Every structure is written in C-alpha cells, then in structure tokens.
C-alpha cells in the first residue's frame, strides 16, 4: 500500500502468494493499480492505489497477458505520475503501465523473487514505491474423487458416483523447456487399496498427430513431448482412462482439454503487396481514399493478433508531408490536408506499416506494404486561347473549307472531358455561315464555312469565339478572359457564273409555229458587280433541234415547226437548255432551262384502230367493233365519224358499218359467206376538231375457216400462232445463208481439184517431163516420126484433165518413186511464156537433191508435126555451129557443166 501523499517512505509490505488450490486462468502475473478516490481537497488522506497480484505456475513459461488493463492514477491536480520497475531484471514495465515478465521464472524450492514498482511525480520529484516478493509453491496433484456425499430428501446420507471434472490445461506454444515437460498429474482416489494403470487417448496421443502427449501409466503424470503450435492446432481433446492390473475399468473416462496459449510468433501479412487507390484533386480533408488490410495468424483475441496501422512515409512530400492519415484499427486512408493538385503532383506513394501487440513498437511484430494513390483530374483548369486574335481567308461561294485553326492550352489531363474543348461562336455570325468543330487529337478549333459567303455582300467577318470544356468547371473556378478570342475572316472575290433569271423560264405556245418565229428573250446576269465582263449565249441541249439563240442579246427563235406530238415532248412540255458564258479569267458559265408548254391544234387525222382483225367465213351475227386513234387531244380528237369509202366497189357490197357511239363503230359482213383470205376495207374517219380532219384508213381483215368455237383452224393461222413473222423471216434467212455456204464450198473444191490436176503435169512421176539425159547415139526417124504430145508445153492451167496423163517417157529418166521427195515446180507465170517456164524448171532441177549424180538435159517432150511453135533447135542458133558462143552454159549450173566443156571449151 502506498503511503499517504507527501509523507516520507518508511517501509513496504511483503505479500506472499501460496496455492489455495487449482483455479482456472490463474496462469499469469498481473499487477494493476486501481484508483481509490476519497477526497481531493485534503490530499493527505488520499490512497493512490492498491496492488493485486495473481500467480501462474512458475516452472512454466509465462504466456502473454490477455488484454491487460492500463494503470490509471489520480494525481490530485499535480500532473501525471511516472512508473518504473527496479531491483529485478526479470520484469519490465510497458508504456501502458502493465508489468510483464521478461522470461520464464524458475525458482528453487523455498527461494523468492522480488520487484520494486516506483512512482514518481515529474514536477515535485516526489517518489513512492512498493516491493513485491514471489516464492515457489509445489505443483499440485489433482485427485479426482469418484464419490460425493449428498443429503437425501429424507435426511439420510448417500454416496453417488460422479464423473471426473478437469479444468482445461493451458500450454504456451513454442515452449523451449526441457521435454518431455510435465503438465499435470492425474490420480484416482481408488488407488489406495490397489494398483491402477493410467492412459490417454485421442488426437495428439494415440491418434494423429501421435506422440505429442504421453502419460506415466503408474504415476498418471501427463507430459508434452515437443513444442506446440497454436496456428497448427489450437487445442487438443484427450480422454484419460484408469484401469486395474486386469484391465478392468475403474473409473469412467474423463475428458482433458489442452489449450495452446498463443505467443506472438507471426508477423502481420498484408493481403496485397501494392494497393492502388485514387482521390479527386482538390478533395477536402477527411475524404476517404482507400482501405488496406492485413491479417495475423496469431490469436486475434489477444494482443498478439491485434493490429495497428500507421503511415511510415509519403513520397513526394508536397505540398505537405502529411497529406494522408490512416485509421490505425481499420486501415482506412483519408486525406488530412488540403492542396491536392493533379497538375503539380499526380501520384503519391505511401509506405504502410501494420504492427501487432496493438501497435507496440518495442514488442510488436511489423510488416509493410505500398499504397499508390493516384490523384484524379477534375475540371479545375479552363481552356485558354494562345492568342487574342486569329486570322483566316476564304474564297466566296466555297463551303466545307477550313478558314483558321484555333489553339488553346488546358492543364487538365489530355483526352478527357475536362480537357476536350468545345468552341462556340457568340457574335459576328448572325446567319450561321461558320461552324467550329474540334480536332479530337490536337484539341484545336477548326473554323469551317458551312454556308456560302458572297463577296459582293460582305467582304469580311469578325467572329467572337468562346472556348469551354465538355464538362462544367469545378465549383469555385471561373472562366478567365483568355477563354474568349476574336477570329477575323477575309472574303476574296472570284469570277462567278452568270445566272439566268427566272430559271427555269416557262413559255406557252401553240404547236405548229413555223420556223423563224421569235419566241422570247432569255438572258443572264453576272453576279460580279465589280468586274466588267461580257456575256455570250449558246444552246446546250435541244433534242429536237427546234430553237436557236442569239449569242449577244439572248433572243430565242424557232428553226423548225413545233410539234406537240413529237416523242421529245413529255406531258406537253419541251425543255431546252441554254448556256451563258462570261469572258473572265478563268471564264465562268451558267445554264438556264426554257420550258415550253405546247398547246394542241388539230394537225393529225385519225386512223382506224385496231389496224388488223380476224373474221370467220361464216361470221356470227355479232360484228367487229372498231375505233380511231388520234394523236391530238380533246376536242381535236373524238367523237369520230366512221364511213365506208366508195372505192373499191366491193367494200360497200361486202361490208356494212354502223355507228355505236362517239368513239366506236361496228362493222358487219353484208353477205352470208366470204371466202378465206385477207381483205383491206377502206374506212373514212373524221375527228371533231374546229377544222375537222378526215383520213381514209384501211382495216386489214383476215377471213379464215373456223371451228365450232369460232377459232381459225387453217395451217397458216396455226403457224402464225406458233411463230411470229420475225421468227419465220429469220428461219428463211438462215436457210438461204446455209445454201450459199454449201454452194461456195462446192465451187472451192472444184477449183482445188483443177489446180491439183494441173500441177500433176509437172509432178506426177508417171508423166514426169523434167530434164533427162539425151542419148545422142540413138538414131531414128526425124521429129515427124516421133509421136510426142506437144500440148504438154502449153500452160498447165489450161490443160483439160483427161490430157494431163498423156506423154511419152524416156528410158534414160530416173526411176519412179512412189513418194515425191523433190520440190514442186511452179507453173509458167503467163500463158504461152514457155521461156520463163523452162528457166523455172531448170532452176528447180539444179537445186533438186534427189536428182541423179550426172548431168542430163531436160526433156520437155516433142512438139509433134504441124506445131505452131518453131523448132527448139533453131532458137538463138546461127547458121554455123562453129560461130556459136556457148560460154553461157557455164552459168546454167552443174547439170550443164558437161555441155559447157564440150561446146564452150574453145579449140581444146
């Protein structure tokens, strides 16, 4: 007990602790100072506190105290009191005022340990202290009686049997003691008169994991054989058995629960190595950012598993080193300072520490993780133009062209809604001729012309443009002056096309207007008021070529008669396109259309319709209904008047015509029978025009034999029904063409046979009249004696086929061969030119590789008597053979070399 406040320390109390029996949870030492208030007015009578001491089984390692209570003092207004432990190295004093043992205490029997707890006033330097002595008491033996004495309802005493009841045994994990280490001794009260045997069963004893707990079968001492791990198995449930020497059960089995007391042997583990979070820039203090979590395998119900978080470092330390804080229990990170600016610091890196033992830096185990906090962008920077004025230029009448590029700067994150700029024209464009889309890549504003601008109306535009972001600015941020700029656009003049007015121009005219008639004047105006230019006119499109235009004044006149019934007129309208061109640089041209609405006149006579009908030889009582076709319009068309013509006479004799209505008439056969054939009936039709027009049309009537259904049955009708006229004509043409081709082929074959027979005169081996060697030693009759066919010397083409094979073959000719291996010789170029024919034969013989290897003369056959040709021996010969020059024989080739030697050798 501490002495009174202000008194000197005169002594201390010695408190001895002894076992009073086994008590549950009495396994640790706890010294707690309890406040005891009486009166603060008279501090002399105030008791500062008292000490409560609990003991654990001294031979065991002390477990961590379960949630010790902090010491509180009433300082009576004099300030805090400092505590410390003195006089013992086995104890320590925590910052929260709880006293702990530093290691397992082992005291010999009868020995004591002591510690001194000292309290000190830091201001007055006054001190108070108390001393605590500890001594060892013997380990208790637990005897489990199996009978109890109870008082019955009638007042009599009885013994009843009861089961063993053993409190849980607490064993600290990771013990470093000497193993096996004794836990508790189990003994039955029946061992006084006989010997018993003890055993334990269950997981940890005889079941996996086996061998952790053992028991002395005689003494009943239960021991543990190795250190335990609470994170592996937090408790064990065993059953103790007591039997006699014969194995008979003496006591009912009793349950033994062994709790493994947690030690701080596991560090906290973060669920992630790196945590990623974000916070908007400009967030106020207290804004939630993210949560980090850590787990500890130790018992969360003790300080070993109670974690505390704190921030070790922040990088960068801008604008403050403590921009964030963390809830030490939940791990929530929040902002504690203002000034988050993404444009200055876009990301923070925090080192987070988790410590068990409720964050005790001295005894707790720690671990760290990294928290990456990204500062997200908000629209706190408006776009600002890089210049106050921008300039552009565009030609008049041009659209979808970019005039100028507007550039801005925005410090917000690129390509986000807070960075993307929207441009808006606030003044200078009342007609909406300009637009400013945004380039998504560069964020530039593209000033674009969307409606044509006219130099003659406005020569320049001065636009006022405002730049804003896609999302509104953050609260408290306003658009600066730099978010507005001026765009000056200058319009340049170009040569514009002349314009017809009105375009198109309408005109109503009666058809039939003669050529040379003046219709109207169609002129164009030049929009370029500041350019002195001349305009010329020309016709661009006139499908019927009815009109012409004066190139200077634009007067339009006709060059042909206007006809409403022309195929170029659609719905009474005829369009003509004209072009007007100026003389600018470069020239420009414009077009205009003249629409003429042609009024109908009665200029077309009606014609019968249909133009062709069919009728049976014996027609039914019903006649044939006909009408008229008139290209004119009402009232220049129907109703029509129908009448049979007077010529030919048989028209009125065979036919009769009756009027049905204004559009139709009915024609009947006047006689009972009309022979089959085609008849043309003349009909006079008159229209209803102001000046009526009449026309005689011929109705083609085909009269044929009919069946009982009234249908034609003659073959001509069937063929006509099967094939049209065009198809029949096409078939006939194909047949004619085929016949002509066959005829031409036959003629070509006959001509080819003639040519082949003519060539056989020179080629056929049987009648080969080519050159042969003359046998001069053969004497016989003269030329008249020889029966030679002189006709073979004529032109081969002129020979008759039967004369080709006629001729005499000489014995000195080369043998006959079936295959003609020598080249063919050509015929004489002209009839009767035998000289050229002979030279050609000579040349062919000289170059013939199949000729005999000796010289020979060519035999062209004998002319015969009475020949119209002269003797060959007299050709180019003189009266005297000795004066003849035969040197030319050397030029005739190798076949005449022998003759050249005989006659051209001179005297030799």
């Amino acid at each position: 007990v501490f002495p009174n406040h202000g008194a000197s320390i005169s002594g201390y109390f010695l408190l001895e602790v002894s076992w009073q029996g086994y008590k549950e949870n009495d396994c640790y030492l706890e010294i707690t100072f309890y406040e005891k208030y009486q009166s603060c007015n008279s501090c002399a009578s105030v008791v500062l506190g008292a000490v409560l001491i609990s003991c654990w089984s001294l031979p065991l390692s002390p477990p961590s105290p379960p949630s010790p209570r902090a010491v509180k003092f009433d300082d009576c207004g004099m300030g805090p009191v400092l505590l410390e432990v003195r006089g013992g190295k086995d104890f320590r004093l925590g910052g929260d005022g709880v006293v702990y043992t530093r290691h397992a205490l082992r005291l010999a029997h009868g020995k004591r340990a002591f510690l001194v707890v000292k309290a000190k006033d830091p201001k007055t330097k006054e001190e108070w202290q108390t001393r605590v002595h500890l001594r060892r008491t013997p380990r208790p033996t637990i005897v489990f009686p199996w009978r109890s004495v109870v008082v019955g309802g009638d007042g009599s005493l009885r013994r009843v049997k009861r089961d063993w009841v053993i409190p849980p045994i607490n064993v600290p994990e990771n013990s470093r003691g000497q193993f096996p280490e004794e836990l508790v001794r189990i003994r039955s009260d029946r061992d006084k008169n006989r010997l018993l045997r003890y055993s334990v069963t269950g997981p940890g004893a005889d079941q996996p994991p086996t061998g952790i707990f053992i028991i002395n079968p005689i003494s009943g001492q239960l021991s543990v054989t190795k250190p335990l791990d609470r994170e592996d198995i937090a408790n064990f449930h065993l059953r103790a058995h007591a039997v006699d020497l014969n194995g008979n059960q003496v006591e009912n089995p009793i349950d033994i629960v062994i709790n493994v007391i947690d030690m701080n042997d596991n560090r906290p583990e973060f669920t992630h190595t790196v945590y990623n979070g974000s916070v908007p820039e400009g967030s106020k203090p207290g804004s939630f950012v993210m949560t980090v979590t850590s787990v500890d395998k130790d018992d969360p119900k003790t300080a070993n598993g109670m974690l505390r978080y704190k921030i070790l470092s922040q990088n960068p330390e801008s604008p403050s080193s403590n921009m964030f804080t963390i809830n030490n229990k939940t791990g929530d990170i929040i902002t504690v300072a203002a000034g988050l600016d993404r444009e200055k610091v876009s990301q923070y890196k925090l080192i987070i520490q988790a410590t068990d033992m409720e964050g005790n830096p001295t005894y707790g185990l720690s671990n760290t993780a990294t928290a990456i906090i990204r500062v997200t962008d908000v629209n706190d920077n408006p776009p600002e133009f890089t210049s106050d004025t921008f300039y552009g230029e565009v030609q008049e009448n041009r659209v979808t062209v970019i005039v100028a590029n507007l550039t801005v700067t925005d410090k917000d994150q690129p390509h986000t809604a807070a960075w993307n700029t929207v441009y808006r024209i606030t003044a200078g464009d009342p007609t909406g001729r300009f637009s400013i889309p945004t380039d998504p890549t560069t964020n530039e504003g593209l000033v674009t012309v969307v409606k044509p601008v006219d130099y003659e109306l406005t020569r320049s535009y001065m636009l006022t443009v405002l730049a804003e972001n896609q999302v509104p600015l953050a609260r408290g941020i306003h658009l600066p002056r730099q978010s507005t700029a001026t765009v000056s656009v200058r319009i340049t003049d170009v040569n514009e096309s002349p314009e017809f007015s009105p375009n198109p121009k309408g005109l109503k005219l009666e058809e039939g207007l003669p050529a040379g008639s003046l219709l109207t004047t169609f002129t164009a105006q030049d929009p370029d008021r500041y350019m002195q230019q001349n305009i010329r006119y020309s016709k661009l499109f006139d499908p019927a070529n009815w009109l012409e235009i004066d190139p200077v004044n634009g007067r339009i006149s006709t060059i042909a008669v206007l006809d409403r019934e022309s195929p170029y007129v659609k719905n009474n309208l005829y369009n003509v396109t004209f072009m007007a061109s100026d003389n600018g640089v470069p020239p420009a041209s414009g077009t205009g259309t003249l629409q003429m609405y042609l009024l109908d006149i009665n200029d077309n006579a009606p014609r019968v319709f249909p133009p062709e009908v069919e009728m049976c030889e014996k027609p039914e009582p019903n006649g044939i209904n006909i009408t008229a076709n008139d290209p004119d319009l009402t009232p220049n068309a129907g109703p029509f008047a129908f009448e049979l013509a007077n010529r030919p006479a048989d028209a009125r004799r065979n036919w009769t015509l009756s009027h049905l209505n204004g559009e139709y008439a009915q024609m009947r056969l006047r006689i009972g029978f009309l022979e089959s054939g085609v008849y043309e009936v003349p009909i006079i039709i008159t229209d209803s025009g102001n000046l009526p027009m009449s026309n005689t049309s011929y109705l083609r009537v085909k009269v044929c034999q009919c069946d009982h259904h009234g249908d034609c049955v003659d073959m001509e009708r069937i063929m006509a029904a099967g094939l049209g006229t065009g198809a029949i004509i096409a078939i006939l043409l194909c047949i004619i063409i085929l016949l002509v081709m066959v005829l031409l082929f036959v003629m070509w074959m006959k001509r080819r046979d003639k040519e082949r027979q003519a060539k056989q005169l020179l080629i056929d081996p049987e009648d080969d009249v080519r050159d042969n060697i003359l046998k001069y030693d053969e004497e016989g009759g003269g030329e008249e004696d020889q029966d030679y066919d002189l006709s073979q010397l004529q032109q081969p083409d002129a020979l008759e086929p039967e004369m080709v094979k006629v001729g005499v073959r000489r014995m000195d000719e080369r043998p006959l061969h079936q295959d003609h291996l020598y080249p063919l010789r050509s015929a004489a170029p002209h009839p009767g030119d035998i000289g050229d024919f002979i030279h050609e034969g000579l040349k062919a013989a000289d170059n013939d590789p199949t000729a005999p290897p000796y010289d020979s003369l060519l035999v062209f056959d004998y002319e015969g008597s009475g020949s119209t040709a002269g003797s060959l021996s007299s050709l180019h010969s003189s009266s005297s053979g000795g004066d003849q020059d035969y040197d030319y024989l050397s030029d005739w080739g190798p076949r005449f070399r022998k003759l050249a030697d005989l006659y051209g050798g001179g005297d030799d």
Side-chain angles (χ1 to χ4, degrees), residues 154-197:
D154 53 0
S156 62
L157 297 179
R158 299 185 300 212
R159 293 182 179 270
V160 296
K161 191 171 183 179
R162 63 177 184 179
D163 293 335
W164 300 355
V165 178
I166 300 179
I169 301 173
N170 297 320
V171 180
E173 66 173 336
N174 303 324
S175 174
R176 297 184 180 180
Q178 296 179 358
F179 294 100
E181 185 174 0
E182 297 177 355
L183 297 181
V184 68
R185 183 183 177 189
I186 301 173
R187 186 174 62 85
S188 174
D189 57 356
R190 292 188 177 185
D191 61 352
K192 296 179 180 180
N193 52 7
R194 53 179 169 174
L195 295 178
L196 300 180
R197 293 292 182 266

Side-chain angles (χ1 to χ4, degrees), residues 742-758:
V742 171
L743 182 60
L744 291 176
F745 179 75
V746 171
M747 294 176 64
W748 177 77
M749 291 296 295
K750 291 183 66 178
R751 182 176 180 84
R752 183 179 178 188
D753 291 340
K754 287 183 179 181
E755 293 178 355
R756 185 183 298 110
Q757 292 172 1

Side-chain angles (χ1 to χ4, degrees), residues 12 51 266 326 361 726 759 838:
Y12 57 88
V51 179
N266 290 279
I326 187 170
K759 291 181 181 180
I838 292 174

